[in-house]
Amino acid sequence: AAEQALRHAGPSFPPPSGLLPSAMTLLVAKIIYFLGLVGWIAIRYPAQHRARKMGVARSAGGTRDRVLLFIAMIGQFFIPLFYVFTGQPAFADYGFYPAEAWVGVLAIIASLVLFRVTHKQLGRMWSVTLELRDNHKLVTDGLYRYVRHPMYSSFTLFALAQFLLLQNWIAGPAGLICFGILFFMRVGREEQVMVETFG
C-alpha cells in the first residue's frame, strides 16, 4: 500500500547508487586486461619485425638477459593469463572493487599510448635484448629528452594496471614483482653499454 501511494504521489527517484549493478565487474576487468595484452602485442610485433632487418653490431645481453626477460614474461603474461582464463588461484582473491578497476583501465590506456610512442621514437634503434644496431644512434629527442627510460615507464604502468584489474594477491602483483626484478637487474647493464658506446 505504501509503494502504491508513493507511485501515485509523483515522480520516482532512482535507488541509491550502491544498489545499482556496476558496469565494471571482475569479468569485464579480465576482458580489459586481456585486450590490453592484445594491444601490447599489436604494438610490439611490427616494431620487432622492423628491428630484425637491422644488423647487430654488438650483443650485450646473453643468457642472463634472456632469463630476466623470461621472468618478466611469467609475471606479466603467464600468471595473469592463467588467472584470466581459469580464475585460479581463487583462494588469493580479495574481493572486487570497481573503482580500483577503473583506475586500472586508465593505467592500461596510458601504458599502451606510452608504449606506442616510445617504439615510434626509437624506431629501428630498439631491440628486445641488449643489442646495438649497425650505425646505432642514441635517441635523445622526444620523450627521451625528458625521461631516461620511458618504455620501462610504460611497463610499470601496465604492471600497475594488472594489479588494479586482477584483484588477486598472486595474479595482480605478479607483474610488478617480476618486472621489478627485470628492471633493477638490467637497467644498470643497459646504461653501462650506452656509456661505453656513446660516452
Side-chain angles (χ1 to χ4, degrees), residues 8-178:
H8 294 295
S12 61
F13 295 95
S17 59
L19 300 178
L20 291 174
S22 172
M24 177 59 73
T25 63
L26 177 58
L27 176 61
V28 172
K30 287 180 176 182
I31 291 171
I32 290 170
Y33 174 79
F34 179 75
L35 291 176
L37 278 183
V38 171
W40 189 93
I41 293 168
I43 294 167
R44 171 54 61 92
Y45 179 77
Q48 194 165 343
H49 182 69
R50 286 192 301 270
R52 283 176 179 165
K53 295 180 180 179
M54 297 287 288
V56 176
R58 178 187 175 190
S59 178
T63 303
R64 180 175 182 269
D65 195 54
R66 287 191 289 272
V67 169
L68 290 173
L69 288 168
F70 183 68
I71 290 171
M73 285 187 65
I74 288 173
Q76 292 196 291
F77 288 92
F78 300 145
I79 292 175
L81 280 177
F82 184 77
Y83 176 70
V84 165
F85 287 106
T86 69
Q88 298 299 324
F91 71 86
D93 287 345
Y94 59 86
F96 184 76
Y97 301 93
E100 190 174 309
W102 281 117
V103 177
V105 172
L106 296 177
I108 210 165
I109 291 170
S111 167
L112 292 175
V113 169
L114 187 56
F115 194 54
R116 173 71 179 98
V117 170
T118 52
H119 268 299
K120 186 174 181 182
Q121 291 180 355
L122 283 176
R124 294 184 179 181
M125 299 301 107
W126 168 84
S127 66
V128 175
T129 57
L130 298 181
E131 293 177 340
L132 292 170
R133 303 299 185 187
D134 291 334
N135 302 313
H136 201 109
K137 296 177 182 177
L138 187 65
V139 178
T140 58
D141 56 358
L143 288 174
Y144 287 86
R145 185 177 179 182
Y146 306 102
V147 182
R148 185 177 293 186
H149 296 289
M151 189 172 289
Y152 287 159
S153 299
S154 74
F155 280 122
T156 304
L157 280 170
F158 199 94
L160 177 62
Q162 176 180 327
F163 178 72
L164 295 169
L165 289 166
L166 307 182
Q167 296 177 24
N168 176 281
W169 286 120
I170 294 176
L176 287 168
I177 294 168
C178 293

Side-chain angles (χ1 to χ4, degrees), residues 1-10:
E3 279 186 8
Q4 288 179 347
L6 285 172
R7 201 175 289 128
H8 294 295

